């Protein structure tokens, strides 16, 4: 998660795809933005915005960031944290990832592109 947040977990507090959030007294699923205890949707709470992301640091150096990931993750708490300062490019089918990446490379002279496909983590 360092590559997205631009800082270590001790600084930003994000260590997993779920986290206990004292302000709402619930463990939040950060990918799909709901509370585990009562299942409520969590739309606008982001306790991890205290550190600039890698994309925001790169923006200061005139580098444009593009994040290519599953379209269903757009707007989730985790994506909100990860993709701040980045252009979100969501795919419907993984077969379109190479095309999206090629298009992103053509957009600007200096780009930082991240691609996330669930299930590829090793």
């Amino acid at each position: 998660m360092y590559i997205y947040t631009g800082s270590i977990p001790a600084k930003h507090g994000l260590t997993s795809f779920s986290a206990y959030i004292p302000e709402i007294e619930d463990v939040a699923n950060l990918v799909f933005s709901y509370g585990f205890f009562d299942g409520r949707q969590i739309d606008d709470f982001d306790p991890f915005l205290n550190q600039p992301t890698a994309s925001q640091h790169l923006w200061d150096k005139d580098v444009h960031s593009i994040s290519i990931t599953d379209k269903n993750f757009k707007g989730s708490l985790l994506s909100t944290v990860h993709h701040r300062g980045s252009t979100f490019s969501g795919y419907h089918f993984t077969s379109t990832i190479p095309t999206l990446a090629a298009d992103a490379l053509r957009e600007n002279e200096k780009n930082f592109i991240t691609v996330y496909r669930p299930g590829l983590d090793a």
Side-chain angles (χ1 to χ4, degrees), residues 12-46:
H12 59 62
L14 186 61
T15 60
S16 176
F17 296 118
S18 61
Y20 178 75
I21 302 174
E23 291 84 350
I24 63 172
E25 298 180 339
D26 202 346
V27 175
N29 175 313
L30 301 175
V31 176
F32 297 107
S33 307
Y34 66 85
F36 282 115
F37 296 145
D38 61 14
R40 71 177 165 213
Q41 191 69 31
I42 302 168
D43 294 322
D44 60 356
F45 183 77
D46 188 352

Side-chain angles (χ1 to χ4, degrees), residues 1-121:
M1 292 195 207
Y2 177 83
I3 196 166
Y4 290 110
T5 59
S7 62
I8 60 173
K11 284 197 169 221
H12 59 62
L14 186 61
T15 60
S16 176
F17 296 118
S18 61
Y20 178 75
I21 302 174
E23 291 84 350
I24 63 172
E25 298 180 339
D26 202 346
V27 175
N29 175 313
L30 301 175
V31 176
F32 297 107
S33 307
Y34 66 85
F36 282 115
F37 296 145
D38 61 14
R40 71 177 165 213
Q41 191 69 31
I42 302 168
D43 294 322
D44 60 356
F45 183 77
D46 188 352
F48 308 105
L49 292 177
N50 61 341
Q51 298 293 316
T53 64
S55 295
Q56 290 172 311
H57 287 293
L58 290 168
W59 183 260
D60 293 340
K61 305 288 184 195
D62 296 321
V63 176
H64 184 234
S65 295
I66 299 109
S67 299
I68 300 171
T69 190
D70 187 305
K71 68 170 184 69
N72 294 311
F73 295 153
K74 185 171 187 170
S76 74
L77 292 174
L78 198 59
S79 289
T80 299
V81 172
H82 282 181
H83 304 301
R84 261 181 312 122
S86 176
T87 300
F88 186 93
S89 181
Y91 57 79
H92 294 276
F93 304 102
T94 57
S95 60
T96 62
I97 292 172
T99 303
L100 292 172
D103 290 346
L105 287 169
R106 283 189 213 93
E107 281 185 24
N108 194 351
E109 188 173 309
K110 294 194 288 186
N111 288 307
F112 176 74
I113 301 171
T114 58
V115 177
Y116 177 68
R117 182 179 152 226
L120 289 183
D121 295 347

